[in-house]
Amino acid sequence: MPANLDELVVRVADICTYKWDMVGKRPLAFLISSFAGGAMVVFGATLALSVSAGVGENLAPGLANLLMGLVFMFSLVIIMMSGMTLVTADMYIGIVGVFHKRITWGSFMWGILLGYIGNFIGSMFFMWLIGKSGAYAAWPWMAKSHAIAVAKTGYGAIEIFVMGIVCTWMLQTAAILFVKAEGDMARIAMAAYGPLAFVAGMTEHCIANIGFLALPLFQQEAFLEAAGRMGLAAPVILHWGFGQYGWAHNQLYTLLGNIVGGILFVGIPFQLVSNPKRVEMIYRSKTSFMGKL
């Protein structure tokens, strides 16, 4: 039988203890886990770009988004099933751990920072490899990659922030239900739904966006040359900074939105809805306080 809500939050707290034990005692291992998780996220971003390039909006509005979501969804499946680290998942895990006094606020923030650093390096490194490979340097893929980046970096701060909230609200609701689910097929279904929803829903995820925005920046010179040869109107110039059409502009407000979505709209509601007396009874019967995903 699946865990009830009270058992669920205790399971999440056990996962928090396991993960933050790694943060404190084996930070290099945690960083490697985060590196792998960041790369796995952009496995999905790469496939999403591959299948959506050239799909015209006049064919069917939203079709490209659906195709992107259907191939992107496997990224969270392999992260969750392998036990690697994704910082947005750790946001809800860590806040439940704070409520259960498994970790302190300081430990929580350090774990989130270290997870983000590892995810950043993994995501950026994988997309750097893709850029060096030339596999996505043909026009349809360069054009789609550039168009995605222009859309994401062209939004205002409030728009990005709100869609960052929506992203982790969708994604981490599925992730916490992954913990509740019993059996591999049920867990795979929950892990797949989250990224399908946030990608098809055109929301903003900080780690996915690291890769989505890095690739067109790595390939921008080739893209501009190809656009010039084709006689296209002057395209938008992307950059790494905080201004409009900047990588950092999108990343900052996406990260803030993801934090609010994961903590305020997922971790805290599940904790507050659980029954404190039943949770206390579960703790009285426990002999182990550490568990993996």
Side-chain angles (χ1 to χ4, degrees), residues 185-202:
M185 292 308 297
R187 290 189 165 200
I188 288 171
M190 284 294 97
Y193 167 76
L196 169 61
F198 91 72
V199 173
M202 301 183 293

Side-chain angles (χ1 to χ4, degrees), residues 9-23 30 90-104 107-108 289-293:
V9 294
V10 175
R11 282 188 186 182
V12 173
D14 285 343
I15 295 167
C16 175
T17 298
Y18 178 87
K19 292 181 75 70
W20 262 260
D21 182 74
M22 187 187 299
V23 171
F30 185 78
D90 285 354
M91 291 170 186
Y92 87 82
I93 292 170
I95 198 66
V96 171
V98 169
F99 272 104
H100 287 238
K101 298 182 180 180
R102 303 294 188 93
I103 59 173
T104 65
S107 296
F108 171 70
F289 293 87
M290 187 178 295
K292 299 181 181 181
L293 283 172

Side-chain angles (χ1 to χ4, degrees), residues 118-143:
N119 283 170
F120 171 87
I121 296 171
S123 180
M124 190 68 75
F125 178 71
F126 185 81
M127 279 309 193
W128 177 80
L129 285 179
I130 293 295
K132 287 295 184 182
S133 74
Y136 290 81
W139 177 254
W141 289 278
M142 283 200 301

Side-chain angles (χ1 to χ4, degrees), residues 215-281:
L215 183 60
L217 279 160
F218 290 145
Q219 295 184 327
Q220 184 160 244
E221 185 176 343
F223 169 79
L224 293 174
E225 290 178 2
R229 288 195 302 269
M230 298 172 68
L232 299 179
V236 171
I237 304 298
L238 304 170
H239 59 90
W240 293 99
F242 285 98
Q244 189 180 31
Y245 303 118
W247 180 95
H249 168 72
N250 176 275
Q251 186 65 194
L252 173 63
Y253 297 108
T254 296
L255 180 59
L256 292 174
N258 288 168
I259 291 170
V260 172
I263 293 175
L264 192 60
F265 290 94
V266 180
I268 289 177
F270 275 83
Q271 172 60 33
L272 294 181
V273 172
S274 64
N275 187 314
K277 291 183 179 179
R278 290 177 182 172
V279 169
E280 184 178 352
M281 290 176 60

